[in-house]
Amino acid sequence: MKIARNFVLFLVLGLLGYPQVSGAQISDAPGVTVPSTISPTTLPTGVTLRSGISYDSSSPSDLLDAYLPKPSEVPAPAVVLIHGGGWVSGSRTDLSSEAARFAAAGFAAFTIDYRLEDPGDCLKQGPEGSDLLVCPAANPIPWVDPIEDAQTAVMYVIDNASDFNINPKRVGVLGASAGGWIAGMLATIGLASNANAQAETISPAPSTARLQVAVTWSGIFDLTTLQPTKVGQLPSGCAGDANCIDKFAPTGFDDLTGCTLQQCPQDFSEASPVTHVTNKNTPLYMFNSAQELVPVAQPQEMAAALSKVGVANNVVILPGEQHAQEYFDQAWDQTLAYFTQYLGNPLESPPTTSSPTTSPSQSNTTKTTIPWLPIGAGVLGAFALVGIMLIVARSRRSKNPHRQHKD
């Protein structure tokens, strides 16, 4: 529905968790939630689902679902999908159909839950007959929590690569909306971090594992430009975007950080992926609509920062007002192409990224094939040549008896 037809949709869309399911589609803005029943995804032929796997023993509610492709002798590449929902709603089932689509293409796909804010008591608002529920964040959580949950989930997948039959060196992430924000943080700070929930700070930490690629649908990369510096003032990052998220959920980022931009600008900066850009970041590919809730300035600013330090990136601007999974049909082919580029074709051997020179570790496992047929042919040819030479020599001696006597 367009804004001219239904103003409510843009209140609802927010930083959504927008599942592709049969029937009505559901979405949520920061501080807004819509109750719904998720329809189960019909799995493609050959795809198996392992549901409700605990990826963090210290937090039983942190679960993931594994959508595994048809068994193969070659370990599959893996994609971890991170749902949206404005940090207050959504679940791992929101991206179930996308995960099933990845598995059908030969990728192992994992959808994850992560910690959300408690939306508190909801008050019915909006036009008569609508399902809009406006909910304040009653119990905000440290904004580092969902990031750490996502890191833990990805590391769980990598650490259990043999169980899932995946290649731990061929792993990427896809994040939608608020999940795109998380994916952007993983692409910049990595899979391990030094986080201080009390001080609301986070920074990179050494890790042997890393992502090969990250893709975002309507991700947010700079919170500081989406909050007004003065009351009643349009945020600088919303300029030119008639549907900018701040117009419909002005306190969404305040709930995430626990304060306003004026009160704690450092927190807004720390919670922005663009702050953590370095030349060691993961390649990042960003999709956005031209006139949607997330202004195009967000991915463009991130792309400029990544390009400045030499990290591969691209921004795909789609026409219209669609947000995240809404533009699935337009974004799917190119999204799949990005993962195939960096993780390899699941139906073929892994991509070769190293030099042709064989490393010592490869030498220990490389089998040497001896060309027995050419060698055998050469030996037989040598024997034949010697035989011919002996016959010729005897013939010459029999024709020259004087020479034989002299000798």
Side-chain angles (χ1 to χ4, degrees), residues 88-115:
V88 298
S89 64
S91 78
R92 65 186 189 277
T93 61
D94 290 359
L95 294 172
S96 57
S97 63
E98 287 82 1
R101 183 74 71 90
F102 271 113
F107 294 83
F110 302 85
T111 61
I112 68 171
D113 285 329
Y114 55 86
R115 279 171 286 183

Side-chain angles (χ1 to χ4, degrees), residues 220-303:
I220 290 177
F221 304 100
D222 188 353
L223 271 62
T224 67
T225 65
L226 290 181
Q227 289 293 91
T229 55
K230 295 181 180 179
V231 177
Q233 185 181 54
L234 185 69
S236 60
C238 288
D241 187 350
N243 304 318
C244 187
I245 181 61
D246 181 77
K247 297 181 180 180
F248 305 104
T251 64
F253 305 115
D254 295 352
D255 290 338
L256 175 65
T257 59
C259 56
T260 66
L261 179 62
Q262 292 76 21
Q263 292 170 333
C264 50
Q266 184 60 30
D267 283 354
F268 276 73
S269 178
E270 283 285 325
S272 300
V274 71
T275 301
H276 305 282
V277 168
T278 71
N279 60 3
K280 296 181 180 180
N281 291 167
T282 295
L284 180 61
Y285 295 88
M286 298 158 280
F287 290 81
N288 219 86
S289 288
Q291 288 288 331
E292 63 150 293
L293 291 155
V294 177
V296 295
Q298 286 285 307
Q300 289 172 342
E301 179 187 355
M302 187 68 176

